[in-house]
């Protein structure tokens, strides 16, 4: 298949109307938000972050050993990935991390966009700081237990769903029960089918998929659900159980953000930890002087719970408040790449990081994109629209299109005034000759006015019918590019585009500039 050339257009995030005030303010370096992060992400700021991030050789060895164990699930490791794994042992190697749930078949497109943003950031950093090594990392949210969020994906407009009654952390789910879904697919997708059929669980399958898709770029995928890695979290676990430290700090910061008009993205608990086993992940709560695991009969004294943490650190799972801290404790990380809501909730965590004396990473908004296929680009050009026009709502676009069709609103107001003036002359004449005729003239004048109104409606309707097909094409184009009225990247799946364009991922890697902070529009050219 021939390589398709792409036309690239970049627009401001604010111009899309799809991003929060928090994010648009952040991208403008608003003074109000500056107390809630460390450095704004620029190539120069990474230099400062390199000096602030400390990571010992012992930490590097623990990380390397854990990753090597995790990568034994793959029969063959791409040399570029192995090189990056080994580089993590070097004191001048740092990571740029993104994270996401284990959506089946990669879920919405932004999963892919996050990873490419991390890859491209490392590429730019390598050029700027050649004396260091930079490794792109995908943090797999293996401990997440919200299966309903990851068990489906949309392919060519049709939803496919994985049905299973397994419970607990999704990374531990066996993928055997995916077989009915795999048989339902419209065609063969070897990368995914082999991963789900040959892996023992969803974490291993997701690692296999990201390795197949991004191994050539050196992407390292990490699973935080690991006993040795969890030991780094023990001081945090102890503080959570004894003093509920994170809740106090995060609530203080959230209140400050709210005062400035920024809505908190996540809410803290008194204890921001879950208890984790093979079949459950439930919140730990303090009740009546005991530490209980919700929806179970498990109950511990403080001493018993602290002992449990020492003996089984893998049973303690951080929630959304503590997961970022855990990540920064076990990685030599410089920057975290997330979507708008993720970046916004990191703002709530600044005091927490300061308390634990952990460097607060640079916060980067992932690249966002609209991908316009050749057929949709053709429709767009026939309608004489530019890519940036497409972000307007349908009614606004319809008005714009009407203007481009050189059609003003149909109105017979001037003709009505002329007819009324003519009847006024007739009325004067009638009054001079026979005043009893004035009423008849008035009646005829009203008839004429009514006839003009009816003709105006008929002409307008005829005009609308004439261009009904054009407006229908516009509506279809909007539905294709903004499924369900939202950004394409939040609904459509990688395979929807990669099936017809095998160079989809390389095209994205070529187009995305992670530090430009512009929305990218990619248009296939004929």
């Amino acid at each position: 298949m021939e390589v398709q050339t792409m036309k690239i257009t970049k627009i401001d995030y604010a111009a899309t109307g799809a991003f929060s005030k928090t994010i648009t303010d952040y991208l403008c370096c608003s003074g109000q938000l500056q107390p809630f992060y460390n450095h704004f992400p620029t190539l120069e700021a990474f230099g400062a972050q390199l000096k602030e991030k400390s990571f010992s050789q012992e930490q590097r060895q623990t990380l390397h050993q854990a990753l090597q164990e995790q990568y034994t699930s793959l029969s063959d490791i791409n040399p570029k990935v192995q090189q990056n794994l080994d580089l993590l042992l070097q004191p001048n190697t740092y990571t740029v991390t993104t994270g996401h749930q284990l959506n089946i078949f990669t879920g919405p497109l932004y999963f892919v966009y996050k990873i490419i943003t991390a890859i491209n950031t490392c590429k730019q950093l390598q050029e700027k700081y050649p004396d260091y090594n930079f490794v792109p990392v995908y943090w797999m949210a293996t401990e997440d237990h919200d299966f309903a969020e990851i068990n489906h994906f949309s392919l060519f407009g049709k939803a496919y769903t994985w049905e299973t009654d397994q419970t607990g952390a999704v990374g531990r789910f066996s993928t055997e029960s995916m077989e009915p879904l795999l048989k339902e697919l419209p065609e063969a997708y070897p990368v995914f089918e082999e991963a789900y059929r040959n892996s023992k669980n969803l974490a291993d399958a997701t690692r296999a998929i990201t390795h197949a898709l991004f191994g050539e770029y050196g992407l390292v995928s990490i699973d935080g659900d690991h006993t040795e890695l969890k030991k780094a979290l023990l001081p945090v676990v102890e503080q959570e159980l004894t003093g509920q430290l994170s809740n106090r700090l995060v609530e203080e910061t959230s209140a400050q953000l709210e005062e400035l008009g920024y809505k908190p993205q996540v809410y803290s608990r008194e204890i921001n930890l879950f208890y984790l086993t093979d079949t459950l992940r439930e919140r730990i709560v303090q009740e009546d002087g005991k530490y209980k695991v919700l929806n179970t009969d498990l109950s511990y004294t403080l001493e018993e719970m602290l002992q449990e943490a020492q003996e089984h650190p893998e049973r303690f799972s951080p929630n959304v408040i503590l997961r970022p801290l855990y990540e920064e404790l076990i990685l030599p990380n410089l920057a975290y790449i997330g979507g708008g809501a993720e970046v916004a909730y990191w703002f709530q965590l600044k005091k927490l990081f300061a308390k634990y004396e952990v460097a607060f990473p640079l916060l980067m908004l992932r690249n966002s994109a609209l991908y316009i296929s050749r057929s949709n680009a053709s429709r767009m050009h026939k309608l004489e629209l530019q890519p940036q026009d497409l972000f307007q709502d349908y009614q606004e676009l319809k008005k714009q299109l009407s203007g481009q069709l050189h059609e003003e609103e149909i109105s017979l107001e001037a003709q009505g005034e002329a007819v009324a003036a003519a009847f006024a002359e007739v009325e004067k004449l009638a009054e001079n000759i026979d005043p009893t005729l004035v009423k008849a003239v008035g009646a005829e004048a009203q008839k004429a006015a009514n006839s003009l109104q009816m003709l105006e409606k008929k002409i307008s309707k005829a005009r609308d019918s004439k261009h009904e097909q054009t407006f229908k094409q516009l509506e279809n184009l909007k539905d294709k590019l903004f499924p369900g009225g939202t950004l394409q990247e939040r609904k459509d799946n990688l395979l929807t585009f990669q099936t017809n364009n095998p160079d989809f991922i390389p095209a994205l890697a070529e187009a995305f500039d992670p530090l430009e902070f512009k929305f990218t529009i990619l248009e296939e050219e004929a």
Side-chain angles (χ1 to χ4, degrees):
M1 188 178 289
E2 64 177 291
V3 176
Q4 292 164 336
T5 56
M6 309 294 296
K7 180 186 175 186
I8 308 298
T9 306
K10 307 278 182 83
I11 63 173
D12 288 336
Y13 278 96
T16 68
F19 292 84
S20 70
K21 182 178 183 296
T22 307
I23 290 305
T24 54
D25 281 3
Y26 179 53
L27 296 181
C28 293
C29 298
S30 165
Q32 285 197 133
L33 281 170
Q34 282 178 2
F36 302 97
Y37 60 90
N38 189 14
H39 304 292
F40 185 79
T42 63
L43 279 176
E44 290 67 33
F46 274 94
Q49 196 74 19
L50 280 164
K51 292 173 184 161
E52 292 170 22
K53 179 68 180 183
S54 60
F55 202 70
S56 71
Q57 195 57 35
E58 185 183 355
Q59 287 172 298
R60 290 181 181 278
Q61 286 167 346
T62 301
L63 174 63
H64 181 262
Q65 180 63 35
L67 284 168
Q68 284 295 152
E69 284 175 24
Q70 292 176 2
Y71 269 83
T72 58
S73 68
L74 299 181
S75 57
D76 189 33
I77 303 177
N78 188 297
K80 291 181 180 176
V81 174
Q82 187 60 58
Q83 180 185 33
N84 277 346
L85 289 171
D86 293 338
L87 280 174
L88 287 168
L89 287 168
Q90 302 301 317
N92 62 338
T93 299
Y94 294 87
T95 61
V96 171
T97 302
T98 191
H100 200 67
Q101 294 162 293
L102 308 188
N103 294 70
I104 62 169
F105 288 80
T106 72
L109 271 172
Y110 57 68
F111 174 93
V112 173
Y113 294 175
K114 282 181 168 182
I115 290 174
I116 294 173
T117 307
I119 288 165
N120 282 7
T121 302
C122 288
K123 187 179 174 185
Q124 287 194 17
L125 289 173
Q126 201 66 64
E127 292 170 5
K128 175 74 173 175
Y129 301 100
D131 293 337
Y132 294 87
N133 309 302
F134 302 94
V135 175
V137 170
Y138 161 50
W139 180 282
M140 302 194 295
T142 56
E143 295 178 34
D144 190 84
H145 62 272
D146 197 341
F147 182 60
E149 286 192 4
I150 68 155
N151 73 338
H152 59 279
F153 73 106
S154 177
L155 179 59
F156 302 119
K158 182 182 176 184
Y160 294 85
T161 304
W162 174 20
E163 305 287 355
T164 180
D165 57 3
Q166 297 175 80
T167 57
V170 296
R172 301 185 183 190
F173 280 22
S174 165
T175 50
E176 281 183 34
S177 56
M178 285 191 75
E179 195 57 40
L181 167 60
L182 298 179
K183 288 178 177 173
E184 193 187 343
L185 297 173
E187 58 184 275
Y189 298 106
V191 164
F192 295 91
E193 292 174 50
E194 287 169 19
Y196 292 128
R197 286 185 172 129
N198 300 333
S199 301
K200 68 176 182 180
N201 57 36
L202 185 58
D204 287 353
T206 305
R207 184 183 301 106
I209 289 163
T210 53
H211 184 265
L213 295 175
F214 304 104
E216 189 60 26
Y217 298 96
L219 179 75
V220 170
S221 297
I222 186 169
D223 181 356
D225 187 5
H226 188 283
T227 302
E228 291 304 310
L229 295 178
K230 281 284 178 71
K231 287 178 180 176
L233 195 63
L234 280 174
V236 180
V237 170
E238 289 170 6
Q239 285 276 12
E240 277 300 289
L241 296 174
T242 57
Q244 285 92 59
L245 176 67
S246 66
N247 184 50
R248 178 172 56 80
L249 295 173
V250 171
E251 285 197 338
E252 282 175 15
T253 310
S254 300
Q256 290 170 343
L257 283 162
E258 277 196 280
E259 280 177 29
L260 295 170
Y262 300 112
K263 185 171 180 278
Q265 286 295 316
V266 291
Y267 292 94
S268 178
R269 303 281 190 180
E270 286 185 3
I271 297 175
N272 288 300
L273 290 170
F274 288 92
Y275 191 80
L276 181 67
T277 67
D278 276 341
T279 56
L280 72 83
R281 184 180 185 241
E282 292 285 354
R283 280 175 50 215
I284 298 170
V285 296
Q286 190 176 10
E287 288 178 2
D288 307 321
K290 291 271 193 172
Y291 291 82
K292 299 180 180 178
V293 180
L294 281 183
N295 302 313
T296 74
D297 294 327
L298 296 171
S299 179
Y300 301 85
T301 64
L302 175 60
E303 291 71 23
E304 288 168 341
M305 196 56 121
L306 290 172
Q307 185 178 349
E308 178 81 349
Q310 288 293 330
E311 293 175 0
H312 297 286
E314 73 279 0
R315 293 181 184 171
F316 292 80
S317 176
N319 74 354
V320 68
I321 297 293
L322 291 179
R323 191 274 306 159
L325 183 64
Y326 176 42
E327 168 196 298
E328 298 300 316
L329 286 168
I330 65 173
L331 288 171
N333 197 48
L334 300 176
Y336 184 78
I337 293 162
E342 284 178 285
V343 170
Y345 82 65
W346 275 77
F347 293 148
Q348 297 172 243
L349 309 178
K350 180 83 182 302
K351 285 185 179 178
L352 179 63
F353 274 74
K355 187 68 176 177
Y356 282 104
E357 298 181 344
V358 175
F360 195 73
L362 299 173
L363 297 181
M364 292 177 59
L365 182 67
R366 64 168 172 80
N367 281 104
S368 277
L370 174 66
Y371 191 91
I372 306 175
S373 67
R374 193 178 296 176
S375 58
N376 284 328
S378 175
R379 291 187 188 102
M380 179 180 73
H381 291 304
K382 279 181 186 172
L383 293 168
E384 295 183 24
L385 295 173
Q386 296 301 313
Q388 53 267 42
D389 294 333
L390 299 170
F391 291 89
Q392 299 177 59
D393 69 37
Y394 173 69
Q395 292 302 330
E396 286 298 315
L397 271 177
K398 191 175 175 184
K399 279 184 193 172
Q400 179 179 322
L401 207 54
S402 295
Q404 287 171 201
L405 294 168
H406 308 298
E407 286 172 347
E408 299 172 6
E409 196 65 35
I410 299 293
S411 173
L412 298 183
E413 188 179 348
Q415 289 82 354
E417 288 173 358
V419 170
F423 272 101
E425 292 293 328
V426 173
E427 192 175 305
K428 280 183 192 174
L429 185 60
E431 194 167 19
N432 289 335
I433 297 170
D434 182 355
T436 62
L437 293 174
V438 170
K439 198 170 181 181
V441 172
E444 292 301 324
Q446 188 58 51
K447 275 188 195 174
N450 291 343
S451 294
L452 279 173
Q453 277 186 346
M454 190 171 64
L455 285 169
E456 182 179 286
K457 287 178 183 175
K458 283 186 175 179
I459 294 168
S460 291
K461 190 175 179 183
R463 190 277 312 272
D464 286 346
S465 295
K466 180 182 172 186
H467 294 295
E468 188 177 344
Q469 189 177 359
T470 301
F471 294 137
K472 190 67 182 169
Q473 286 172 349
L474 173 64
E475 190 176 3
N476 289 339
L477 181 64
K478 282 286 287 182
D479 286 345
K480 285 275 188 187
L481 297 179
F482 297 86
T486 190
L487 289 180
Q488 176 193 74
E489 63 188 37
R490 297 175 186 170
K491 290 278 187 182
D492 285 337
N493 176 265
L494 167 68
L495 292 175
T496 300
F497 300 95
Q498 195 176 52
T499 301
N500 297 318
N501 181 7
D503 293 310
F504 180 68
I505 286 175
L508 295 174
E510 184 71 27
F512 283 175
D513 183 339
L515 294 168
E516 188 179 23
F517 301 117
K518 297 277 189 183
F519 189 98
T520 306
I521 302 169
L522 299 94
E523 179 187 338
E524 286 183 7
E525 295 185 307

